[in-house]
Amino acid sequence: MQLMEEKRLPHALLFCGPAGCGKMAMAMAFASYLLTSTANNENAKRNAEALLAQWQHPDLHFTYPVIRPTGTSADHKMVSDDFAKEWHAMLMEGPYFSIDQWLSRMKAANQQAIIYASESDDIIRKLSLKSSQGGYKVSIIWLPERMNGECANKLLKIIEEPPQQTVFLMVSEEPEKLLETIRSRTQRIDMKKTATEAIEQALVERRGINEPTAHRIARVANGDWLKALEELDAGNENRLFLDMFITLMRLAYLRNIKELKQWGETVTGFGREKQKRMMTYFLRLVRENFMYNFQNPDLVYMTQEEEDFAKNFARFINEENVVELSELFTRIIRDIAQNANPRIVFFDMALKVIMLLKN
């Protein structure tokens, strides 16, 4: 708001920060401010507010990564609007969401979500039109780092020299993956993790959670409001991942090769995005179990279920294997991202875990 008051509003802003810190919420709030600030009378302002309450303002345009559904014609040029219904439904539930939740909305299997080259033409076409309300036109690009090279390069000129009263708001999880030529054309705004105390307070006041439970959830969330919300969901994905971790470790300790192979077959059916999320979760559990051995509660960030398991298991994660286990799981994430055969990858990983637990 200060940028507008001082008449130095940049034509492109890049909101960065850790997951769940409210980057998208900030971008959407700023877009709303821009689209209502130029209303020349109360009726126009109320009309803009009513449209924004449904996220259907004609001068607000959203761009986001999408998948190419199985069976889609190769001639069809994929754009964000192909999933406009799913996107709008997600926005109406709130501005806090992750790429994993978005992939689930699109019913993605193994597809990677990207912003296709054809999106650049769609953005340029929309922003070349005159503002329907006579004020700003705002383009929110969620996860611009997922633009393919052709799309990013085609957008360079319009980002550098946009039409009058046009503002780009980019919301990035991994800004280092953006083209340097894109980054250099934006003003970066870095947002910090949400304070643990603020998350705890919000859980108590907004969700009616008792203080001890809210305190534990807030510490596990570690500044990520999305993670805090996931912990409230009795059926959240991390409980499945915890079960998979427990099973892997028990079977590896028992050297049960046959059952470990079946474990790998089960994980193979998860799909690549879910496999990467699971391995990221495994990495965290390795760290937490190692820290649990120091018997310092301030160093440990686990749910009650995770801690119940750690009481008996943590001693198996020690100075002799913690680094190798972490490197192994990190390598698996990389291999899956590079389209390695998951059946081979996970069975090989299970065999290595056997050896590491026996050190």
Side-chain angles (χ1 to χ4, degrees):
M1 320 313 179
Q2 185 178 349
L3 292 172
M4 286 192 65
E5 292 170 1
E6 296 176 359
K7 299 185 185 297
R8 56 185 184 90
L9 178 65
H11 53 262
L13 291 168
L14 178 63
F15 295 92
C16 307
C21 72
K23 301 182 294 296
M24 190 63 170
M26 178 65 76
M28 291 166 69
F30 190 53
S32 297
Y33 175 75
L34 288 175
L35 293 168
T36 56
S37 64
T38 50
N40 50 25
N41 59 61
E42 280 302 312
N43 282 337
K45 185 175 182 180
R46 280 196 295 270
N47 182 53
E49 290 172 346
L51 290 167
L52 288 165
Q54 299 296 317
W55 298 114
Q56 292 183 332
H57 195 291
D59 294 325
L60 175 60
H61 307 286
F62 288 99
T63 295
Y64 38 87
V66 297
I67 62 169
R68 177 177 289 277
T70 303
T72 304
S73 168
D75 295 331
H76 179 73
K77 298 183 183 298
M78 298 298 303
V79 293
S80 297
D81 284 350
D82 287 320
F83 287 92
K85 182 179 178 181
E86 292 82 356
W87 177 258
H88 182 258
M90 189 168 70
L91 285 186
M92 292 304 294
E93 292 181 9
Y96 287 85
F97 44 81
S98 66
I99 183 62
D100 298 327
Q101 291 171 323
W102 177 228
L103 287 167
S104 178
R105 293 269 182 174
M106 293 188 290
K107 296 180 171 55
N110 288 331
Q111 303 102 316
Q112 299 281 340
I114 65 173
I115 299 176
Y116 290 86
S118 47
E119 189 72 35
S120 56
D121 296 326
D122 209 40
I123 291 172
I124 293 169
R125 177 185 60 79
K126 289 175 180 177
L127 297 181
S128 67
L129 300 174
K130 185 178 179 181
S131 166
S132 67
Q133 306 294 304
Y136 279 97
K137 292 176 289 183
V138 181
S139 174
I140 295 181
I141 304 179
W142 183 57
L143 304 185
E145 60 269 27
R146 288 185 175 245
M147 287 190 287
N148 72 12
E150 185 180 350
C151 178
N153 282 310
K154 288 176 75 172
L155 285 180
L156 283 174
K157 183 171 177 58
I158 192 172
I159 290 174
E160 186 174 26
E161 300 176 7
Q164 187 176 12
Q165 283 194 298
T166 298
V167 177
F168 286 92
L169 304 178
M170 301 186 189
V171 181
S172 177
E173 294 280 343
E174 300 174 290
E176 68 280 359
K177 291 185 177 180
L178 262 173
L179 285 180
E180 172 57 31
T181 46
I182 293 281
R183 290 203 305 270
S184 65
R185 287 162 169 77
T186 67
Q187 179 168 321
R188 178 165 170 162
I189 297 177
D190 286 293
M191 298 178 63
K192 297 180 180 179
K193 291 193 298 186
T194 307
T196 298
E197 295 77 11
I199 291 179
E200 183 177 342
Q201 183 179 356
L203 289 171
V204 172
E205 295 179 356
R206 299 183 194 175
R207 303 284 171 161
I209 308 300
N210 64 66
E211 290 187 6
T213 302
H215 179 70
R216 180 180 284 273
I217 291 174
R219 292 192 75 248
V220 171
N222 192 26
D224 186 340
W225 177 244
L226 268 176
K227 187 178 290 185
L229 294 179
E230 288 173 1
E231 289 300 327
L232 294 179
D233 179 7
N236 80 77
E237 190 175 62
N238 282 355
R239 284 182 171 81
L240 167 63
F241 293 162
L242 175 60
D243 288 341
M244 297 302 293
F245 183 82
I246 292 172
T247 301
L248 171 65
M249 294 302 160
R250 285 177 175 165
L251 292 175
Y253 179 77
L254 295 171
R255 298 194 172 209
N256 190 329
I257 305 298
K258 181 179 178 181
E259 291 299 322
L260 281 172
K261 187 175 182 181
Q262 183 56 52
W263 183 92
E265 292 291 334
T266 299
V267 175
T268 296
F270 283 179
R272 294 189 185 277
E273 292 295 337
K274 189 172 182 178
Q275 289 162 1
K276 289 190 291 183
R277 295 196 300 273
M278 185 184 77
M279 295 312 304
T280 300
Y281 177 83
F282 282 14
L283 268 173
R284 183 177 74 81
L285 276 195
V286 167
R287 182 265 178 199
E288 297 300 336
N289 276 271
F290 179 67
M291 298 307 294
Y292 186 85
N293 292 312
F294 294 96
Q295 298 299 305
N296 184 344
D298 290 338
L299 298 177
V300 179
Y301 297 83
M302 287 193 279
T303 65
Q304 188 63 59
E305 294 91 339
E306 291 166 353
E307 191 169 326
D308 288 343
F309 174 64
K311 289 174 183 176
N312 295 317
F313 174 74
R315 60 192 175 91
F316 293 100
I317 306 295
N318 49 56
E319 291 87 350
E320 294 183 356
N321 62 15
V322 63
V323 172
E324 288 182 274
L325 278 169
S326 297
E327 290 176 346
L328 171 62
F329 292 163
T330 300
R331 188 166 65 251
I332 298 302
I333 294 172
R334 183 196 64 211
D335 291 345
I336 293 301
Q338 294 176 350
N339 294 323
N341 186 318
R343 185 171 282 103
I344 296 173
V345 166
F346 285 109
F347 185 55
D348 181 66
M349 180 194 79
L351 297 178
K352 285 184 170 64
V353 171
I354 289 177
M355 304 308 298
L356 291 171
L357 286 187
K358 290 296 182 181
N359 283 342

